[in-house]
Amino acid sequence: MNWKRFEELTQIPGVPGDEKEVRKVLRHYIESTTDEIVQDHLGGLFGVLKGDVSGPRILVAGHMDEVGFMVTRITDKGFLKFQPLGGWWNQVMLAHGVQVVTQTEKRIPGVIGSTPPHLLKENERNKPVEISEMFIDVGADSKEEVHQFGIRPGDGIAPVFPFVEMEGGKRLISKAWDNRFGCGLAVELLEDMKDSNHPNILFSGATVQEEVGLRGAVTAANLVRPDVFFAVDAGPAGDTPGIVDGFGELGKGVMIRLYDRSMITLPGMRQFLIETAEKEGIPYQYFVSAGGTDAGAVHKSGRGVPSAALGVCARYIHSHTSVIDKDDIQAAKKFLAAIVKRLDKETLEAIKEG
């Protein structure tokens, strides 16, 4: 497992609609595994490995984008107003570091402003601040100075948080595990399959604009026309204080998603995944979510594409930082390789028949 690559991928800024830096790094790694690469017109990128050319077309995808923001206005005093990109909760935003990425790819550091309690009235201290009232401070004194920095409305704004191995060595904290985890695993899969026989054609890579409505999954499905699809994503862990009967525990293995607001996993697909995990001795856990994944868009494409969402759980996603377990990522990697090696024409037909 290439942990340095995961560090590289999570630390790159890449908000919905502005994933070019992530795509550049992914292309570098994909080019080392295959000469055949396809890209859709929104920016989704996939390496292609042909095992049995008469076998099913398998699409495996993470998504490049992380939750972030977009500059919408620059005030006369040089503060930035912004629009969230993806689902944010107001209470996790104030006083956190960000970076504005200009059109020249210059990274401008900043912070989401927060009023100290000394300056708040008593009735304001427990009142959540609306996102529309928030602003970003980039150290400027005027609109003109912000323009000199190269910042313009429309520029992306990404969270800032370092990649850190936590005490004990089994867990990692960083920004953007959702979903640079899936991007890294898509590359690992290509490396695993490069010199391996597999009864299918594999397309593995990452989509764009997942966090704003699964948009890149649509163009990717139109490009690849898969027979089966696997979204590789990080879901919210339900194992922290205050959460009752939550799904997803760190260290309990790969997550097999049964249901979310975007898709119900077909019974045949569910059986195939469980049988594969148990045959290979891979720890797994079931997952139900109020969110959605790219599988929600791809499974409705064409005449219908049997799909599944699998991956790992991560604590504190859709914030500036999240925590994952190394063993879970190892399990997910082994699981993906086992799935691809087993998925021939007969198996796909069995999945469809339930």
Side-chain angles (χ1 to χ4, degrees):
M1 185 68 72
N2 190 335
W3 298 114
K4 291 301 293 183
R5 181 163 59 207
F6 279 106
E7 178 177 2
E8 180 182 14
L9 286 169
T10 57
Q11 290 299 295
I12 301 168
V15 300
D18 190 14
E19 300 96 343
K20 58 182 177 293
E21 291 191 56
V22 184
R23 182 165 49 252
K24 186 186 304 181
V25 171
L26 281 179
R27 179 176 286 276
H28 165 73
Y29 287 117
I30 291 174
E31 285 176 344
S32 68
T33 62
T34 177
D35 294 328
E36 187 171 353
I37 298 175
V38 296
Q39 181 175 327
D40 65 53
H41 291 171
L42 290 187
L45 185 74
F46 307 93
V48 186
L49 292 176
K50 294 180 179 177
D52 183 350
V53 294
S54 66
R57 297 165 68 88
I58 300 177
L59 176 58
V60 175
H63 63 83
M64 300 180 206
D65 55 316
E66 62 186 301
V67 292
F69 314 97
M70 176 192 287
V71 177
T72 55
R73 188 166 62 87
I74 304 167
T75 72
D76 292 340
K77 292 291 187 179
F79 296 101
L80 310 183
K81 302 294 286 185
F82 59 88
Q83 163 70 41
L85 298 175
W88 283 89
W89 185 36
N90 307 35
Q91 288 188 224
V92 302
M93 294 170 60
L94 294 179
H96 280 289
V98 295
Q99 53 187 333
V100 183
V101 182
T102 71
Q103 288 303 297
T104 61
E105 298 187 16
K106 184 179 180 182
R107 302 180 187 182
I108 309 294
V111 62
I112 298 177
S114 175
T115 305
H118 316 64
L119 304 179
L120 291 172
K121 297 177 182 178
E122 191 67 35
N123 65 347
E124 294 176 327
R125 294 184 181 181
N126 296 315
K127 178 183 176 183
V129 179
E130 296 297 325
I131 294 177
S132 60
E133 299 172 1
M134 296 181 190
F135 58 87
I136 291 171
D137 186 342
V138 291
D141 290 322
S142 66
K143 180 184 293 186
E144 292 71 27
E145 190 172 7
V146 173
H147 284 162
Q148 291 171 12
F149 293 167
I151 297 173
R152 298 291 185 275
D155 287 344
I157 307 164
V160 172
F161 198 94
F163 184 97
V164 178
E165 183 177 82
M166 302 180 80
E167 192 69 20
K170 65 180 180 178
R171 290 179 179 164
L172 298 168
I173 184 169
S174 181
K175 79 174 189 69
W177 280 119
D178 179 13
N179 185 28
R180 306 294 162 63
F181 149 75
C183 297
L185 222 60
V187 174
E188 297 265 353
L189 179 62
L190 287 170
E191 292 173 348
D192 287 346
M193 293 294 108
K194 181 179 179 181
D195 299 314
S196 174
N197 293 324
H198 50 99
N200 42 58
I201 304 172
L202 173 64
F203 297 79
S204 187
T207 64
V208 296
Q209 297 191 42
E210 190 267 0
E211 297 290 4
V212 289
L214 318 180
R215 300 175 189 183
V218 177
T219 53
N222 289 337
L223 172 71
V224 174
R225 294 176 291 107
D227 297 307
V228 62
F229 174 66
F230 298 101
V232 185
D233 210 339
D239 62 352
T240 53
I243 300 176
V244 179
D245 294 329
F247 288 90
E249 295 184 56
L250 264 65
K252 299 296 185 181
V254 66
M255 293 196 313
I256 298 174
R257 191 173 291 226
L258 304 176
Y259 170 90
D260 62 34
R261 62 176 173 81
S262 68
M263 192 191 74
I264 301 171
T265 305
L266 294 175
M269 175 63 79
R270 184 176 68 238
Q271 182 177 347
F272 166 67
L273 295 176
I274 293 169
E275 286 179 355
T276 301
E278 293 183 347
K279 180 180 179 181
E280 299 293 331
I282 299 168
Y284 69 92
Q285 54 186 316
Y286 297 118
F287 193 71
V288 173
S289 176
T293 73
D294 278 337
V298 176
H299 87 287
K300 296 184 290 185
S301 65
R303 297 170 60 187
V305 178
S307 301
L310 51 93
V312 301
C313 62
R315 292 175 181 163
Y316 326 121
I317 66 169
H318 283 230
S319 72
H320 282 72
T321 187
S322 50
V323 176
I324 58 89
D325 190 286
K326 287 182 178 180
D327 288 344
D328 292 342
I329 293 184
Q330 296 275 17
K333 175 183 177 177
K334 185 178 179 182
F335 192 40
L336 269 179
I339 288 169
V340 173
K341 290 176 181 177
R342 291 189 66 198
L343 230 171
D344 55 18
K345 287 186 287 188
E346 291 74 19
T347 303
L348 179 57
E349 288 306 312
I351 289 172
K352 292 178 182 177
E353 293 170 7

